[in-house]
Amino acid sequence: MTVKISESISPSEVSDYKEKLCNLFLYKDDVLSEEERAELLLLIGCSKNNFQEKIKALFKKFGNLNNILTAPLDELCSVDGISENTAAVFKVVAACAKRSAMEAVKTKKSSVLENWDLFLDYCRQDMAYNDIEEFKMFLLDENLRYFADKTLSKGTINRTVAHPREIIKTALKHNAKNIILAHNHPSGNCKPSDADVMLTHDICSVAESVGITVFDHLIITNNNIFSFRNEGYLNRFFKKPDSKNSK
């Protein structure tokens, strides 16, 4: 994305410029560039000195506003002119966005299917920008209503750290009737690995044997989400009745 670079603002013009950005954000947010949104955060939340130089340095290192908001604190503070107080402005916004997405999902009393985009946004906010792989399970009732989630492992995902029987044991403990699996790929490549496919197959087999349905397995990256369900993988994993015995 091309970032719009604002014209140089003199110290005497900062207050007027801040007011202009505030009004645009409140009434015409779609016309603001990523850089202008970042400028507004700095102008509202911290020192106004050299704010444009700080923004340019941040975008030079991180590329876009999303990467700035989700960058680790030490990386933000490694940028010239960015103190912990300045970095805190971005971290607060990121934390609020994540919390808001989580609460929006948790307070819905309807099926996740009816709020699928909201659910995917929660997954993206929660997992897409983590720098290590994380494997989670979302617990659903018989009507596909979300009621809890559990972090199953952190680090490289394989059958050793995420054993299918232990995963389903956790689902049974919480009386889940359906589950959604999700893990992130920090590399940015959302294509499932052979290990991802094998693990999902094994979890589906164990789940089916105790009456739990794996509704989906999502692979989350910072720019995409891969759905095992949408790509037809889950249809291959579930057992099909023998045509002779079903007559």
Side-chain angles (χ1 to χ4, degrees):
M1 177 181 290
T2 301
V3 177
K4 177 181 174 183
I5 305 298
S6 304
E7 295 181 2
S8 179
I9 305 297
S10 68
S12 63
E13 297 173 318
V14 169
S15 293
D16 288 342
Y17 183 64
K18 174 184 173 183
E19 184 177 354
K20 174 186 174 183
L21 290 181
C22 283
N23 286 331
L24 286 173
F25 175 76
L26 291 173
Y27 303 109
K28 294 182 178 180
D29 178 53
D30 58 324
V31 307
L32 286 177
S33 69
E34 285 195 338
E35 188 178 43
E36 287 169 331
R37 290 188 178 94
E39 286 178 343
L40 182 56
L41 286 175
L42 285 189
L43 289 171
I44 290 174
C46 61
S47 172
K48 302 171 181 58
N49 295 330
N50 303 316
F51 72 94
Q52 289 183 301
E53 287 75 10
K54 294 175 183 177
I55 292 299
K56 289 174 184 177
L58 285 166
F59 273 87
K60 183 177 180 180
K61 180 175 177 66
F62 297 107
N64 60 55
L65 182 55
N66 231 357
N67 290 342
I68 294 171
L69 291 173
T70 56
L73 178 62
D74 59 338
E75 289 190 28
L76 286 172
C77 292
S78 71
V79 176
D80 187 38
I82 303 300
S83 65
E84 285 196 351
N85 285 344
T86 302
V89 174
F90 296 109
K91 301 310 294 178
V92 166
V93 172
C96 288
K98 180 177 177 178
R99 184 73 179 178
S100 176
M102 178 181 69
E103 291 300 327
V105 169
K106 286 186 173 181
T107 55
K108 293 293 182 182
K109 300 301 181 182
S110 53
S111 160
V112 293
L113 278 178
E114 297 178 35
N115 306 283
W116 191 242
D117 288 343
L118 196 64
F119 179 76
L120 292 182
D121 184 52
Y122 170 38
C123 292
R124 188 179 293 108
Q125 293 284 350
D126 189 42
M127 304 178 72
Y129 304 99
N130 297 346
D131 55 4
I132 61 171
E133 215 168 312
E134 183 176 2
F135 192 27
K136 299 188 77 168
M137 174 172 59
F138 297 89
L139 305 173
L140 314 175
D141 66 14
E142 63 275 11
N143 295 315
L144 294 175
R145 291 176 298 200
Y146 163 86
F147 63 87
D149 57 70
K150 299 294 176 181
T151 298
L152 301 171
S153 63
K154 292 186 178 182
T156 302
I157 305 303
N158 55 47
R159 207 179 190 279
T160 302
V161 297
H163 195 282
R165 292 194 180 280
E166 291 303 313
I167 290 170
I168 299 308
K169 184 178 178 180
T170 300
L172 286 170
K173 179 181 178 181
H174 294 278
N175 298 314
K177 301 301 182 183
N178 298 273
I179 59 174
I180 295 175
L181 306 169
H183 76 278
N184 62 310
H185 278 183
S187 66
N189 179 6
C190 70
K191 182 179 178 181
S193 65
D194 291 342
D196 292 335
V197 175
M198 184 178 300
L199 177 61
T200 307
H201 172 272
D202 292 347
I203 294 172
C204 286
S205 296
V206 177
E208 188 178 28
S209 71
V210 295
I212 292 176
T213 298
V214 178
F215 183 76
D216 207 343
H217 184 176
L218 305 171
I219 298 178
I220 316 291
T221 68
N222 58 5
N223 54 23
N224 210 345
I225 295 180
F226 180 93
S227 164
F228 274 69
R229 185 181 186 86
N230 289 348
E231 296 300 325
Y233 280 80
L234 298 188
N235 291 334
R236 307 176 211 168
F237 295 161
F238 287 112
K239 299 173 185 176
K240 294 187 170 41
D242 188 325
S243 56
K244 291 182 181 180
N245 296 330
S246 61
K247 289 182 180 180

